[in-house]
Structure formats: C-alpha cells, structure tokens
Amino acid sequence: NTGTKKRVAYFYDAEIGNYHYGQGHPMKPHRVRMTHNLVVNYGLYRKMEVYRPKLITPDQLSRFHSDDYINFLRKITPDNMNEYTRQLQRFNVGEDCPVFDGLFEFCQMYTSGSIGGAVRLNEGSSDVVINWAGGLHHAKKSEASGFCYINDCVLAILELLKQHQRVLYIDIDIHHGDGVEEAFYTTNRVMTASFHKFGEYFPGTGDVKDKGYGVGENYAINVPLHDGMDDESFRSVFRPVISKIMEVFQPGAVVLQCGADSLSGDRLGCFNLSLKGHADCVEFVNSYNIPTLVLGGGGYTLRNVPRCWAYETAVILDTPIKDAMPYNDYFDYFAPDYKLHLPVSNMDNLNSPKYLQDTTEKIFNILKGVSAPGVQVHTGQTGTTMVPDKVPVEHESVTEEREESGMDVVNDVDESR
C-alpha cells in the first residue's frame, strides 16, 4: 500500500430496503438498509463520499440485456401477470425470481449504483466505489436467474471497458458467477475469476475445465470448492490465484463481487468463513491499488450480511471498528451478543489441502496461456505467440469483437493510448 488513504465513494438509495420479493423468499433487500445503518452508526460514512445514485434509463440496460426482456420487466406487475404466462416462462420469471411491486424500479436502483460507480472510476474521481445493493451476477441477456433480473456486474464492466483495455471480475459469492462469465466468455478484455461451491449446487456451472472460448480461451477462471471452506483454505487458494492473475493479466480496473452467502451459517450456503476470512479477500484485492468497484451479491442470513458488509466497508477505509456493536435501528437482530464478529461452526471441511493444491496448479496451467491483450509475448518457439491472432491492434480488436458479439461499440478505447 502507498500509505495514502484511498478516495472511497459509496452509493446508497434509502428506498432500496422497501422492495420485497415476497413472503418466505430468502432474498431480502432490507439487508442493504441494515448494512447502511451500521455504516452510519459506526461513523464510517464520514470517511467516504456518500451518493444517492442517479437512476439510469431503460435503454442503458439494453447495452447487455435484450430489448424484449427489458420491455417485459418494465410492464409486468403482480396485477397483470396472468396476461403474460408465456413471457413469464420465456424470461424465467415467477418462482426464484418472482414478480413484485416496483420490480423494475428496484432493478434500476441497484444497477444505477454499479454503473454510476464505474463512471466515477473512469473519471478518476474515486479509487474505490462501493455499492452493496449490486452484485446480482446470475442474470442473463434475456433471462432472470437466481434472484437476479438485471446483471449490474456486466453493465458496470461494459462501462469500465470504455476507459480500460482490461477489466478483472472477481466473485467470492458461494454461487458461481455464471451470468458474468457467460457475458464475457469469448473476449480476452475481461477476465472472470469465480471461487464457488461446485457439485449438485446452483447454478451447476463453474468447473475448473470451463476456461473461456475462442479469443477468450484461458480468460475465464473457475475455482470449484466443496462444503466447509474455512478461512485458511480460502486464503490458500484465493491469494495465489489472484496474485498470478494480477501478474499475467494486469487489469486496469477490478470489479469485486462480495456475496456474503459464503459466510458460516448462511441460510442457503455451506461454507464456513468468518467475517475476517471473507474480508481478507477484499483487503488483498485492495492492496493492489487498482481502481475497484466493490459490490454485494448473495447473503441470506439477515443478521450476518450487514455485519459482513459493514466490516468490509471499514476494511476498505482502513479504519478499525469495535466488535461491540453501536446502538442502531436494527439492534435486536444482533441479539444475544450484539457483537460484530460471529463464531464459525465445527462443520467438516471437505476441501483437502491436496485438492486445493491440485486445483491451484490446474489454474496456473490455464494462466500460462494468458497475456495482456495488445501486448505481444513471444514464447521463443518459431511461429508461436501467446497473443491470439484476433488482437493485432487495440482499437480494431475492440470494435470487431464488440460487433461480432452484438454489443454496442461504445467509444471504448481512449484514442490517446
């Protein structure tokens, strides 16, 4: 670290906690309001620039999502659902991803913080931007999935690509970051790195062998893990993999998805991380001093998610906070001990040191095929180069790749580079 305090911006809309997925649904936007309340009562807000995100327009969502899907989300309500039976099926809306009052505004709200954060990083006005309402990484181009409707991670990365040649996406949610991986599976300008539970678990993707395709081959990194991951095990794979990625890929910006369902005691999760183990990832990524967008994600034990994200806010601000919780609007949620940190369980860790070592080695082998796009690396053998043929010139590669993938070609590269 340079020793200078980072300029941290924090996006929060007080309305976010009013949206409700429905009775019994594990996803509760209220957790973001609880997090904000802790951030305020710990005094952390004084050390950041706090913003209410300006709502983005529906056409900005179409940079990634299909027009049909966006139009559907705009018009569907609990009252008119029966008229849209076929579309509900087509767009996978209904059970995991229910229709609720204000659904589209909710999507705009959490996505606005992520895109707005990316804009601030592009302008150079912040070093780190936090949007705990974001990180909804499962949404696809034309489909809701896993409690996610709009993929704010993808939209934020597309924004960052206007200014940065390479963007790294890191995902420590217990579920595979499938929506983000799929969106950038065939490009070498975005590397995705997901650390997740794999094997008979939603969404079912994220095998170590899935590594990208075409120009994007070797630019999708998957670390499949088993039940009971503890702090030491997680650190033993996270740090070496991320430091190797930083070395070979050299990203200009990072998006870090901090899903809190990888914590011990999560209602849907089966890992055994403490707050410190989870936050160690945030601290490690932060130590590289690369412009970083920090997002929320999963997290389904209501009393633990705010603990995690408030603590990680403090870690980003390099500000120690007390374990004894300050009085706050939701104090009773944190009974009986009213402490920030929580004990982990005594569950078995099914990840042997050998398994973790073998997986890390497989990933290192994949990363041998990576070079920073636009930088030719000769391997020494005649006729070989580690740079795919498709990327001779930065400016052309951006445009061609975008046009082929159907993405908007948006003033991607600063002409002065």
Side-chain angles (χ1 to χ4, degrees), residues 74-117:
R74 287 178 77 176
K75 64 191 178 194
I76 194 81
T77 68
D79 297 332
N80 67 16
M81 271 174 69
N82 330 341
E83 301 162 33
Y84 293 100
T85 329
R86 271 190 61 235
Q87 281 180 292
L88 285 164
Q89 261 186 316
R90 176 184 162 199
F91 297 125
N92 194 34
V93 171
E95 299 205 354
D96 274 1
C97 304
V99 177
F100 55 84
D101 281 323
L103 169 59
F104 189 68
E105 291 74 30
F106 170 70
C107 293
Q108 277 179 298
M109 202 172 283
Y110 73 72
T111 304
S112 297
S114 300
I115 294 179

Side-chain angles (χ1 to χ4, degrees), residues 26-176:
M27 176 63 119
K28 301 190 188 311
H30 178 58
R31 68 209 176 123
V32 182
R33 177 159 49 195
M34 291 173 66
T35 301
H36 180 70
N37 210 263
L38 280 183
V39 165
V40 169
N41 282 290
Y42 267 117
L44 296 170
Y45 71 99
R46 291 192 205 97
K47 296 174 177 261
M48 312 184 276
E49 293 187 61
V50 178
Y51 295 99
R52 182 178 188 175
K54 180 175 182 289
L55 279 196
I56 49 164
T57 58
D59 61 306
Q60 285 178 281
L61 302 175
S62 302
R63 276 191 198 160
F64 171 57
H65 294 284
S66 68
D67 292 339
D68 284 359
Y69 178 52
I70 297 301
N71 290 334
F72 165 76
L73 290 177
R74 287 178 77 176
K75 64 191 178 194
I76 194 81
T77 68
D79 297 332
N80 67 16
M81 271 174 69
N82 330 341
E83 301 162 33
Y84 293 100
T85 329
R86 271 190 61 235
Q87 281 180 292
L88 285 164
Q89 261 186 316
R90 176 184 162 199
F91 297 125
N92 194 34
V93 171
E95 299 205 354
D96 274 1
C97 304
V99 177
F100 55 84
D101 281 323
L103 169 59
F104 189 68
E105 291 74 30
F106 170 70
C107 293
Q108 277 179 298
M109 202 172 283
Y110 73 72
T111 304
S112 297
S114 300
I115 294 179
V119 168
R120 281 195 70 81
L121 294 175
N122 281 351
E123 291 169 350
S125 47
S126 298
D127 303 311
V128 182
V129 182
I130 300 169
N131 176 29
W132 294 126
L136 277 71
H137 58 168
H138 295 305
K140 310 289 196 298
K141 182 184 172 86
S142 300
E143 193 178 298
S145 174
F147 317 156
C148 308
Y149 304 87
I150 295 292
N151 199 316
D152 63 291
C153 313
V154 169
L155 289 161
I157 291 167
L158 288 174
E159 187 65 40
L160 290 167
L161 285 171
K162 293 179 182 180
Q163 185 65 35
H164 301 279
Q165 179 62 16
R166 293 176 298 284
V167 176
L168 171 62
Y169 172 77
I170 304 170
D171 191 316
I172 60 171
D173 191 291
I174 195 171
H175 300 97
H176 177 228

